[in-house]
Amino acid sequence: MPRARRAADVLLLAVLVTATWHRVAWQPFGRVTLADLLAPLFVAAVALSRPRISRDARTLAMIGAGLLAVYLAGAIFTADRNQLAKGLVVWALWFAVTVAAVIHLSARGRAFYERALTAFIAGFCVNALYGYVQYVLGTRFDVNLDRYLIDPFFPGSASSGLNLYATVAVTQADGSVIREPVYRITALTNDPNHIGVLLAIPIVILLALATDAVRRRALAMACVAVALTGALFLSQSRSGLVGLVAGLLFLAATLRTRLVRGPLAWPAIAAGVVGAAVILTRLDYWRGVVNKRLNPDTPGSSIHTKIYDTIPDVLSNHPLTGLGLNTFARYYEGVSGRVGFGPHSLYVQALTETGVLGAAGVVILLAFVGRCLYRAWTAGDRALAAGLGGAIVATLAANVFYLTTIYPSWYALLALGIAAASTKTASS
């Protein structure tokens, strides 16, 4: 059992670090990421270590069983059972990881919980750092970093290089006007919006934890949060920005004046000055970028709003269990002609693919996580509870128009939120 426990420690830390590395993937039978390969090994290691199963883990397992029953019932009515089976396998794997992580974190104590949280944030930092290097090499030296570090080793990657979003008009010193490309980072994800939405999570957590840290550590956390915010801006993700604002508002409501401590304010002020200087040196370019990104009439913007129109039609025909998990793309292809276009929203996905019952199950799950975080708050872990709660709020806000709750990082965040309430991990 000690060996199994040590193996579970290593595997959980590895899963948390790689949870956002979507492009570290292969295609043996569909796209499989490194985190996907590590996940079943971690679940097996936890099972072999025979830990005590906490009450929170049992409650989570019961919620999972209810969701599984709804998803299986959806198989009766779905027109695409192959897609449903694929979606069900992925969901079951990561929900099992969530339960196993809650069990293991609750049993291992506060010190290991902090290591796990650090590993989780470190994975985001590596992702953001890769995005910075990707952006500098791609825009300044016309070098596709992915061609050397990703494409030869990870054939499961769905994209390569920076995302070319558009071109903008820039006036030169001699008065001539040229078109310059607008690039967005993808980092170790497959889409600039994915990395943008995901980065809101560590930013909010770090800022919350910094309010309760000693001065030097608080300053270091704030600096990392500012650096991650810079990477979020390089993704130019509107959903990511919405999520970040929602998360910060949650922190402002829960932590209040603690957010404006000196160690937290100075890095933000310095970053603002540097950012303003960069923008002023190329004002035409950045004005054009902002205008492009804030234009609500672009095809990309309109499709994300029109997709909500599918909810009434689906619920009128399949009100209880929906179309079936992971089958929206096939349905949408039939009504719009677009191939492989997913629900692009947690709320569209929950209501159309799993119906009223599935959506209710998601609400129950979120309410349970919220209850666990409230217990951590009342136990004295206010900064941690606020940070994890703010990260969840940020994700839910960003997922109005972009879907990231299907990725491992979401399940990892839920596990950390639930385990924070444990009497062995929460501060007294």
Side-chain angles (χ1 to χ4, degrees):
M1 284 191 291
R3 288 185 179 180
R5 188 180 67 181
R6 286 195 295 270
D9 285 352
V10 173
L11 288 166
L12 177 56
L13 296 177
V15 167
L16 292 172
V17 168
T18 60
T20 61
W21 300 1
H22 304 163
R23 295 175 61 196
V24 180
W26 299 266
Q27 288 185 305
F29 38 82
R31 187 176 301 122
V32 178
T33 67
L34 177 57
D36 291 329
L37 296 175
L38 294 169
L41 298 177
F42 166 66
V43 174
V46 171
L48 290 173
S49 66
R50 298 181 182 179
R52 184 184 67 84
I53 301 176
S54 65
R55 181 183 61 181
D56 289 334
R58 290 195 296 269
T59 302
L60 180 63
M62 290 175 61
I63 295 173
L67 286 170
L68 178 61
V70 173
Y71 299 160
L72 289 175
I76 299 173
F77 306 103
T78 186
D80 193 346
R81 293 186 179 178
N82 287 334
Q83 283 299 109
L84 184 142
K86 292 178 183 178
L88 196 57
V89 167
V90 173
W91 174 85
L93 170 63
W94 283 103
F95 206 93
V97 169
T98 308
V99 175
V102 171
I103 293 172
H104 193 66
L105 289 169
S106 299
R108 293 290 287 118
R110 178 70 178 190
F112 182 77
Y113 181 92
E114 291 179 352
R115 287 175 60 194
L117 184 60
T118 301
F120 186 52
I121 294 173
F124 288 98
C125 293
V126 171
N127 214 330
L129 178 61
Y130 187 92
Y132 274 116
V133 178
Q134 180 190 54
Y135 186 80
V136 171
L137 292 181
T139 57
R140 299 302 176 194
F141 304 101
D142 196 26
V143 173
N144 181 356
L145 180 64
D146 303 348
R147 186 176 300 166
Y148 302 98
L149 298 184
I150 299 293
D151 299 344
F153 310 106
F154 308 111
S157 174
S159 62
S160 180
L162 294 168
N163 172 266
L164 175 59
Y165 174 68
T167 60
V168 294
V170 177
T171 303
Q172 299 294 296
D174 60 3
S176 61
V177 178
I178 63 171
R179 306 291 300 186
E180 287 198 18
V182 177
Y183 289 107
R184 304 169 63 192
I185 65 167
T186 55
L188 294 174
T189 68
N190 291 307
D191 188 283
N193 290 296
H194 292 171
I195 185 63
V197 172
L198 293 174
L199 284 175
I201 294 173
I203 294 169
V204 173
I205 294 174
L206 282 169
L207 288 177
L209 293 178
T211 65
D212 203 33
V214 296
R215 187 175 183 85
R216 285 188 178 181
R217 191 173 182 187
L219 182 61
M221 288 180 175
C223 288
V224 174
V226 167
L228 293 174
T229 304
L232 189 155
F233 282 127
L234 288 180
S235 75
Q236 299 173 32
S237 172
R238 292 168 294 192
S239 293
L241 185 58
V242 168
L244 179 59
V245 170
L248 293 178
L249 288 175
F250 182 87
L251 293 187
T254 52
L255 298 177
R256 298 175 184 155
T257 56
R258 294 168 68 182
L259 275 177
V260 293
R261 288 176 58 198
L264 275 68
W266 289 117
I269 293 172
V273 171
V274 172
V278 171
I279 291 172
L280 289 173
T281 57
R282 304 188 66 199
L283 190 57
D284 276 0
Y285 174 81
W286 290 109
R287 183 188 292 120
V289 171
V290 171
N291 289 338
K292 288 278 188 183
R293 294 303 294 154
L294 295 183
N295 183 2
D297 296 325
T298 60
S301 299
S302 60
I303 191 64
H304 284 274
T305 54
K306 288 181 180 178
I307 208 165
Y308 276 85
D309 295 339
T310 62
I311 294 176
D313 178 60
V314 172
L315 290 183
S316 65
N317 294 304
H318 309 282
L320 295 180
T321 58
L323 297 166
L325 192 67
N326 197 40
T327 62
F328 179 88
R330 186 62 58 86
Y331 159 80
Y332 197 67
E333 180 181 349
V335 299
S336 70
R338 295 193 61 156
V339 178
F341 196 82
H344 278 70
S345 164
L346 165 63
Y347 310 98
V348 175
Q349 186 259 350
L351 288 168
T352 60
E353 291 190 349
T354 66
V356 174
L357 293 178
V362 172
V363 171
I364 292 170
L365 172 61
L366 292 173
F368 171 62
V369 178
R371 178 173 169 271
C372 291
L373 288 173
Y374 180 72
R375 284 167 45 206
W377 174 278
T378 57
D381 251 341
R382 297 197 168 192
L384 178 63
L388 293 171
I392 291 172
V393 168
T395 303
L396 294 176
N399 272 251
V400 171
F401 294 119
Y402 232 91
L403 182 62
T404 62
T405 52
I406 58 176
Y407 294 121
S409 53
W410 172 245
Y411 295 95
L413 179 60
L414 294 181
L416 289 166
I418 296 168
S422 169
T423 55
K424 291 186 179 180
T425 58
S427 294
S428 57

